[in-house]
Amino acid sequence: PFSYTPGTPTSFVIPAAGRPQEKAAMFAAIGEYLSGLKAEGGTALYDATLVAVRNMAAERDKNPENAYSVVVFTDGKRTQGIEMDAFIQGYNELFAGQKATKKIPVFLVLYAEGEAGALQKIADLSGGKVFDARNQPLNVVFKDIRSYQ
């Protein structure tokens, strides 16, 4: 949620296809977790995104056979925390000397009037994409995101 600083990362592993009960239980656990989040302060958008990318890179190093990405739901506004230049520098440092295929893509879901141009910079840098959830249902957005992995 909106916050002046990123929270502690929480991981959820979605079971593979063919395990519908386990998958449903995981989605229920995710929903329960999300319902407990409380917004406070401003929006440290770039800080939170960089923390998420670092977390996924660390997970990928432990389990390189899996697909990893970061999905950010945002209005596109950063009100606190690092600026775009610092995000770009941090992202580039994290993946310095690695092939583009080793980068963690960031998929940004715009759900309100915001700064889509800044989001596009993150998508371009990471090999991700910006999705406009103002004009299409979230299930369509998630299907599109899934097709990139």
Side-chain angles (χ1 to χ4, degrees), residues 17-103:
R19 297 163 61 187
Q21 284 124 350
E22 291 177 41
K23 193 177 275 191
M26 181 55 66
F27 284 128
I30 293 168
E32 185 176 321
Y33 173 79
L34 292 174
S35 69
L37 295 176
K38 304 287 183 253
E40 61 182 358
T43 304
L45 174 61
Y46 305 142
D47 302 67
T49 303
L50 192 54
V51 166
V53 168
R54 287 180 178 142
N55 188 47
M56 288 295 96
E59 289 295 319
R60 187 200 53 219
D61 289 346
K62 291 187 248 178
N63 299 295
E65 69 282 357
N66 295 335
Y68 294 91
S69 62
V70 170
V71 179
V72 178
F73 290 88
T74 182
D75 62 2
K77 295 179 184 173
R78 180 207 65 85
T79 62
Q80 290 187 278
I82 63 173
E83 302 278 343
M84 176 62 80
D85 289 344
F87 173 84
I88 291 170
Q89 180 180 351
Y91 190 95
N92 285 334
E93 287 173 359
L94 185 60
F95 298 106
Q98 295 187 28
K99 294 178 184 178
T101 57
K102 290 292 188 181
K103 290 183 175 183

Side-chain angles (χ1 to χ4, degrees), residues 69 71 107 109 131 140-149:
S69 62
V71 179
F107 300 103
V109 181
F131 295 91
V140 173
V141 170
F142 276 113
K143 283 181 183 177
D144 285 346
I145 290 170
R146 195 71 178 129
S147 71
Y148 283 86
Q149 297 181 330

